[in-house]
């Protein structure tokens, strides 16, 4: 069913007519909660709104701080929306993807709105007196040589004092940006399952990062007493609700088109460390498991597999995506047809393709996207010959914050058929999966194994008839 055929009450859009609307918010405790997962059962009344949110908090040593581009999202590994025994929507490696999605919002929104809600604080940059840039929303000493995360964003080891944050339902499940669930007309129970990341003592940079030379307990756990779900339920006038109920009870039922995510995670092996002055090409081909699906776009993140080998993990956590000093080359084959005549190599080309795929630009300084602004183009290995980022600042005791270069190098592919990236415009994939061909240009010191994560936005249909729900593959 096209969006235009949906009842007005199910559309996230201005209504053409004035209707009476009541919003009831219920605070729900999990029916099951441990340090590894929480499960919420949603009351079966009204229409579930995407503005609902989960309240989250973490307990950790007060010296710790959340990854500055990720915040509380780093607590979540994956989430599922389940109706009865059917998983309707899912979002795997949520924190990695959400770190990228946050960078599509304006820096002002991230700083003035989302920083308070999520605990991330590395979203704005300011020019220093030396003409370089540095993080704007950190706390600096008088000499502007040391920076730290604002105290009110740091977790504590006590449930009553640790800060509490919120994550919208529409962030957990992108489909909820455009769709709402008619809970009042469904027979089977609706559950939201949140699986948490784990960070034991001796580990760091997954949920919480720590200052340089910190030698205390590095464990971080969900603050179980603070985790709630604020469930917003919409109630329209009786005529509107009755019309929706009648459509759901009809022989055709109610059919909704919605977006879901499929994650493919692949590895590229390490190579021998190239000698100085050498560039070694490593060509890999990966298949994305979306054969037979309708795909609207791809979002791609790529990083060194070993956490200790990733630049800036000490303050960005493991939620970085990077390429080498010599740009990688990437191309795609869809339905047995090569997408680009020439591989995408240069940063502006990749940036544009990401913008088309996501429907809006990545809003970060260019030095965070690639090494292009800081490398010498006269040398084959593109050695760094300058730093746009101020080297004179130590962030939570960690020096060399210029390592933040190329930590948000995401790429993408727009597969919409109409030129407008919206539901209903995806490409039908045949029996052959999408193939991604990538050539890594390895240089001295950059030879380690790498992990590529690809989130495919797929279009699925949901049919609700007489309270029973069916979904397409």
């Amino acid at each position: 069913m096209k969006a235009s055929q949906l009842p007005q009450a199910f559309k996230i859009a201005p209504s053409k007519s004035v209707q009476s609307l009541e919003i009831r918010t219920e605070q729900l405790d999990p029916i099951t909660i441990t340090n590894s997962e929480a499960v919420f059962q949603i009351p079966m009344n009204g229409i579930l709104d995407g503005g609902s949110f989960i309240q989250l908090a973490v307990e950790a040593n007060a010296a710790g701080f959340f990854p500055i581009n990720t915040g509380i999202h780093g607590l979540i590994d994956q989430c599922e929306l389940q109706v009865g025994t059917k998983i309707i929507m899912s979002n795997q490696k949520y924190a990695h993807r959400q770190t990228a999605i946050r960078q599509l919002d304006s820096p002002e929104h991230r700083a003035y709105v989302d920083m308070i809600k999520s605990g991330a604080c590395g979203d704005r940059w300011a020019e220093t007196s030396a003409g370089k840039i540095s993080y704007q929303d950190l706390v600096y000493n008088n000499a502007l040589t040391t920076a730290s995360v604002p105290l009110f964003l740091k977790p504590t080891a006590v449930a009553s004092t640790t800060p509490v944050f919120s994550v919208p339902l529409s962030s957990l499940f992108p489909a909820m940006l455009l769709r709402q669930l008619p809970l009042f007309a469904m027979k089977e129970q609706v559950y939201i399952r949140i699986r948490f990341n784990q960070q034991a003592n001796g580990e760091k940079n997954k949920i919480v990062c720590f200052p340089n030379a910190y030698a205390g307990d590095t464990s971080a756990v969900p603050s179980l007493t603070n985790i709630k779900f604020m469930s917003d339920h919409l109630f329209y006038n009786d005529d509107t609700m009755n019309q929706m109920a009648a459509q759901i009870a009809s022989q055709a039922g109610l059919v909704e088109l919605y977006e879901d995510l499929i994650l493919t995670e692949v590895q590229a092996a390490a190579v021998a460390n190239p000698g100085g002055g050498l560039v070694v090409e490593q060509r890999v081909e990966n298949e994305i498991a979306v054969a037979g699906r309708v795909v609207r776009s791809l979002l791609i993140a790529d990083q060194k597999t070993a956490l200790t080998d990733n630049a800036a993990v000490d303050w960005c956590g493991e939620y970085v995506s990077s390429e080498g000093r010599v740009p990688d080359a990437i191309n795609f084959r869809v339905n047995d047809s090569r997408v680009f005549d020439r591989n995408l190599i240069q940063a502006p080309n990749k940036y544009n393709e990401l913008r088309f795929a996501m429907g809006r630009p990545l809003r970060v300084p260019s030095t965070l996207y690639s090494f292009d602004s800081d490398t010498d183009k006269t040398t084959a290995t593109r050695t760094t010959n300058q730093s746009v980022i101020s080297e004179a600042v130590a962030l939570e005791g960690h020096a060399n914050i210029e390592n933040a270069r190329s930590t948000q190098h995401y790429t993408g592919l727009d597969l919409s058929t109409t030129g407008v990236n919206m539901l209903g415009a995806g490409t039908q994939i045949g029996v052959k999966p999408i193939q991604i061909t990538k050539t890594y240009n390895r240089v001295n010191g950059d030879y380690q194994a790498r992990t590529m994560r690809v989130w495919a936005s797929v279009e699925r249909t949901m049919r609700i008839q007489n309270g029973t729900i069916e979904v397409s593959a």
Side-chain angles (χ1 to χ4, degrees), residues 135 310-313 315-316 368 371 387 389 399-407:
Y135 291 105
N310 284 309
V313 294
W315 59 88
C316 291
L368 297 190
F371 281 94
S387 178
I389 300 174
N400 303 319
I401 70 166
E402 70 268 23
N403 282 337
R405 290 178 297 208
S406 189
T407 52

Side-chain angles (χ1 to χ4, degrees), residues 268-291:
V271 301
N273 192 13
L278 297 179
V279 178
V280 176
E281 292 187 352
Q282 180 189 20
R283 187 174 185 270
V284 295
E285 294 184 354
N286 300 308
E287 292 186 342
I288 309 306
V290 289

